[in-house]
Amino acid sequence: MKQFTKHNTRNSLRRIFLYHGLLLRLKSMGVTRVFSYTLAESAGVTPEQVRKDFSEYCIRGNRRGGYLTASLLDEMEVLFRRDRVTNVILVGMGNLGQALSKYGLFIQRGINIVATFDIDPYKQKSRADNQVYSPERMQEIIDRFHVTVAIVAVPDVSAQEVCNELIGMGIRGIVNFAPVLPRVPAYVVVNNVNLSDEIESVIWSVSRMREKQSLFL
Amino acid sequence: MKQFTKHNTRNSLRRIFLYHGLLLRLKSMGVTRVFSYTLAESAGVTPEQVRKDFSEYCIRGNRRGGYLTASLLDEMEVLFRRDRVTNVILVGMGNLGQALSKYGLFIQRGINIVATFDIDPYKQKSRADNQVYSPERMQEIIDRFHVTVAIVAVPDVSAQEVCNELIGMGIRGIVNFAPVLPRVPAYVVVNNVNLSDEIESVIWSVSRMREKQSLFL
DNA sequence: GGATTAATGTGAAACAATTCACAAAACATA
DNA sequence: TATGTTTTGTGAATTGTTTCACATTAATCC
Ligand SMILES: NC(=O)c1ccc[n+]([C@@H]2O[C@H](COP(=O)([O-])OP(=O)(O)OC[C@H]3O[C@@H](n4cnc5c(N)ncnc54)[C@H](O)[C@@H]3O)[C@@H](O)[C@H]2O)c1
Ligand SMILES: NC(=O)c1ccc[n+]([C@@H]2O[C@H](COP(=O)([O-])OP(=O)(O)OC[C@H]3O[C@@H](n4cnc5c(N)ncnc54)[C@H](O)[C@@H]3O)[C@@H](O)[C@H]2O)c1
């Protein structure tokens, strides 16, 4: 088991995933060799940052030669268990849940949505591409596919309850799209994604920028 | 125009939006008064952090009395131009675009999607609830509704091109869902949301946690 | 092979964010 | 009005992150 030298930070982890995505694209474009400044450029950070991040996860290149795209990807994928696909489940097949479940490129990133759930019987209709289960079958499916990560796309009022149930059934990681922060035990990882906030913060930054600008007119 | 005392940080801005969302919920639950520790609890941060954040944006409460939910919300909404609704457009009506366009609660957060666009003529069919325009009409609609912010939900290969066009038409803020970082001039704000990364980082944190745990077994 | 060049890798320095600690204010109570 | 209590607001200390500066390494070119 590889040991990381230092306490790896939340930020550097985020960026590692960013680099990974960029590398996949670069590879598909036929780029065989990258340099810290290549990645830095596409990722919008400094070259030092890229190297420091790699360093933190014990990923190393060739001095002078940069990094070979393919072997860098290999190394990252082994390191991050991306060498095999991870089964996840998705709870809440409303607007957002359906969009996520139809997204074809998750599998390229090693994310396999093995089953989706909804309490609404109307949504549980089975079509060839898209079987939506009743939550009653959740435990069975979690066990069968060794699922440890779930995506939660239910309304805010149900989110805490759904998270509690999932954790009781063995889920240890949750990506939560409801605009509440679920309370969970310390051994469970939660990532809250709030799309309204993402949009609002841009709106606000733009209006701030305009104000500042108007001072110079 | 209110001046902020210090260089406000990216993180504190994020949290301010988080607090705002939480406050809306608290208010709707009939809570009239909150304390820094109330918010801290729901936001998963320390009370000092909440107060520091407020302090940074010149939001103040009553010593001993905490904050009145309603007036705190008022203050935040005025401060963040949330007192009026902002018109935004949405480009790319695929899986994700459709989910976003159907989301009914954006308007509660002052986000009004005034028009959606797609190059696919099949998606441009007009239904009562959901008119999808051809990109040809973008300039006209941006001008008519004074739109400065756009949501981009097109495939990665089109994202840069779409961003360029939008900026040329006067857009100054972009929420980008494509897994690429568009290159934009300094006067344009971009917020990149990468849903694959969000899921992957949870998968990885869970697998790391399990490894660490297994050392103790 | 030695000099030159172009990259990485990383400790040290600078900067940023968070937590601590406590003074200042507001309210309640007598 | 004095006293005690509660909670805010914030400078100072701490902790975390990024940038800088340069030693180190590998390839290339006389
Ligand atoms: N759609 C968006 O663009 C968007 C934007 C911002 C935030 N969100 C948030 O994401 C979440 C999902 O959004 P949406 O638009 O898909 O909502 P939605 O109402 O369309 O879908 C929610 C689904 O969850 C199901 N559900 C409710 N309780 C459940 C339970 N206990 N177990 C299983 N399924 C349950 C419902 O039947 C419904 O199908 C919400 O919390 C919403 O606030 C969505
Ligand atoms: N759906 C998801 O859950 C999900 C998850 C992660 C990332 N993403 C990313 O979000 C983006 C959208 O995802 P999606 O699943 O909705 O994709 P999609 O392919 O379903 O939809 C993309 C839409 O954009 C339209 N389009 C293409 N070029 C255009 C242009 N120049 N102008 C206007 N419209 C154009 C297409 O006609 C299509 O309707 C993609 O970049 C995708 O990688 C989506």
Side-chain angles (χ1 to χ4, degrees):
Chain A
M1 168 73 320
K2 196 172 264 183
Q3 281 297 315
F4 300 123
T5 42
K6 292 189 179 175
H7 37 61
N8 48 70
T9 65
R10 189 154 214 84
N11 285 356
S12 70
L13 179 57
R14 276 204 108 67
R15 284 192 301 267
I16 290 278
F17 287 109
L18 176 58
Y19 304 147
H20 180 255
L22 297 169
L23 281 167
L24 283 176
R25 278 175 50 76
L26 288 171
K27 190 189 179 188
S28 77
M29 287 160 65
V31 178
T32 58
R33 172 168 288 173
V34 297
F35 302 105
S36 58
Y37 58 79
T38 323
L39 278 170
E41 168 90 332
S42 352
V45 300
T46 64
E48 296 82 5
Q49 182 84 85
V50 173
R51 299 201 297 274
K52 255 285 199 274
D53 288 338
F54 282 178
S55 164
E56 200 150 359
Y57 289 91
C58 304
I59 293 170
R60 35 204 63 216
N62 318 16
R63 295 194 193 218
R64 171 109 197 218
Y67 307 82
L68 294 175
T69 315
S71 62
L72 188 51
L73 271 170
D74 284 350
E75 202 167 350
M76 288 177 96
E77 306 215 336
V78 172
L79 195 56
F80 298 134
R81 297 296 117 68
R82 200 85 57 46
D83 47 339
R84 58 172 179 274
V85 164
T86 302
N87 291 334
V88 307
I89 57 172
L90 167 51
V91 187
M93 280 293 274
N95 295 321
L96 192 57
Q98 280 176 39
L100 292 168
S101 73
K102 283 186 206 150
Y103 185 59
L105 299 180
F106 279 141
I107 198 73
Q108 276 192 9
R109 301 288 295 267
I111 301 165
N112 183 28
I113 301 180
V114 286
T116 62
F117 298 89
D118 203 296
I119 39 162
D120 183 351
Y122 178 73
K123 296 209 171 89
Q124 290 165 14
K125 64 182 178 213
S126 165
R127 283 172 293 160
D129 59 327
N130 188 6
Q131 162 80 62
V132 180
Y133 294 100
S134 153
E136 286 162 25
R137 300 197 51 196
M138 217 139 69
Q139 183 76 69
E140 170 204 339
I141 286 161
I142 288 174
D143 293 343
R144 172 139 50 101
F145 294 102
H146 306 101
V147 181
T148 55
V149 172
I151 301 167
V152 172
V154 301
D156 54 359
V157 289
S158 315
Q160 181 66 61
E161 182 197 336
V162 167
C163 290
N164 293 347
E165 286 168 8
L166 286 166
I167 294 165
M169 293 178 188
I171 292 300
R172 292 294 170 262
I174 291 170
V175 183
N176 169 45
F177 285 93
V180 289
L181 304 192
R183 202 167 303 279
V184 301
Y187 57 85
V188 176
V189 179
V190 180
N191 189 0
N192 296 290
V193 182
N194 190 323
L195 301 181
S196 305
D197 284 359
E198 301 295 345
I199 299 169
E200 276 195 312
S201 75
V202 170
I203 291 176
W204 191 74
S205 297
V206 169
S207 70
R208 275 278 286 162
M209 213 175 232
R210 308 225 114 178
E211 270 160 26
K212 275 193 183 158
Q213 227 165 26
S214 68
L215 294 177
F216 297 103
L217 297 183
Chain B
M1 168 74 320
K2 197 172 264 185
Q3 283 297 315
F4 301 122
T5 42
K6 291 189 180 177
H7 38 60
N8 50 69
T9 66
R10 190 155 213 83
N11 285 356
S12 69
L13 179 58
R14 276 203 108 68
R15 284 191 301 267
I16 289 280
F17 286 109
L18 176 58
Y19 304 148
H20 180 256
L22 297 169
L23 280 167
L24 283 176
R25 278 174 49 75
L26 288 171
K27 191 190 180 189
S28 77
M29 286 161 64
V31 178
T32 59
R33 171 169 288 174
V34 297
F35 302 105
S36 58
Y37 58 79
T38 322
L39 278 170
E41 169 90 331
S42 351
V45 299
T46 63
E48 295 82 5
Q49 182 82 87
V50 173
R51 297 202 298 271
K52 258 279 201 277
D53 289 337
F54 282 177
S55 165
E56 200 149 359
Y57 288 90
C58 304
I59 293 169
R60 36 203 62 218
N62 319 18
R63 294 193 194 220
R64 168 113 196 217
Y67 307 82
L68 293 176
T69 315
S71 63
L72 188 50
L73 271 169
D74 284 351
E75 203 168 348
M76 287 176 97
E77 306 215 335
V78 172
L79 196 55
F80 298 132
R81 297 295 116 70
R82 201 84 58 44
D83 47 339
R84 57 171 178 275
V85 164
T86 302
N87 290 335
V88 308
I89 58 171
L90 167 52
V91 187
M93 280 294 274
N95 295 321
L96 192 58
Q98 280 176 39
L100 292 167
S101 73
K102 282 186 208 151
Y103 186 58
L105 299 180
F106 279 141
I107 197 73
Q108 276 192 8
R109 302 287 295 265
I111 302 164
N112 184 29
I113 301 180
V114 284
T116 63
F117 299 89
D118 203 295
I119 39 162
D120 183 351
Y122 178 74
K123 295 209 172 90
Q124 291 164 15
K125 64 182 178 213
S126 166
R127 282 172 291 159
D129 58 329
N130 187 6
Q131 162 80 61
V132 180
Y133 294 101
S134 153
E136 286 162 24
R137 302 197 51 196
M138 218 140 68
Q139 183 75 70
E140 170 204 340
I141 285 160
I142 287 174
D143 293 344
R144 174 140 47 101
F145 294 102
H146 306 101
V147 180
T148 56
V149 172
I151 301 167
V152 173
V154 301
D156 52 0
V157 289
S158 315
Q160 181 66 60
E161 183 198 335
V162 167
C163 289
N164 292 347
E165 287 168 8
L166 287 166
I167 294 164
M169 294 178 189
I171 291 299
R172 292 294 170 263
I174 291 170
V175 183
N176 168 46
F177 285 94
V180 291
L181 304 192
R183 203 166 304 278
V184 301
Y187 57 85
V188 177
V189 179
V190 180
N191 188 1
N192 296 291
V193 182
N194 190 322
L195 301 181
S196 305
D197 284 1
E198 301 294 344
I199 299 169
E200 276 196 312
S201 74
V202 170
I203 290 176
W204 191 74
S205 297
V206 169
S207 69
R208 275 277 286 160
M209 213 176 232
R210 307 223 116 181
E211 270 159 25
K212 274 193 182 158
Q213 226 166 25
S214 68
L215 294 177
F216 297 103
L217 296 183

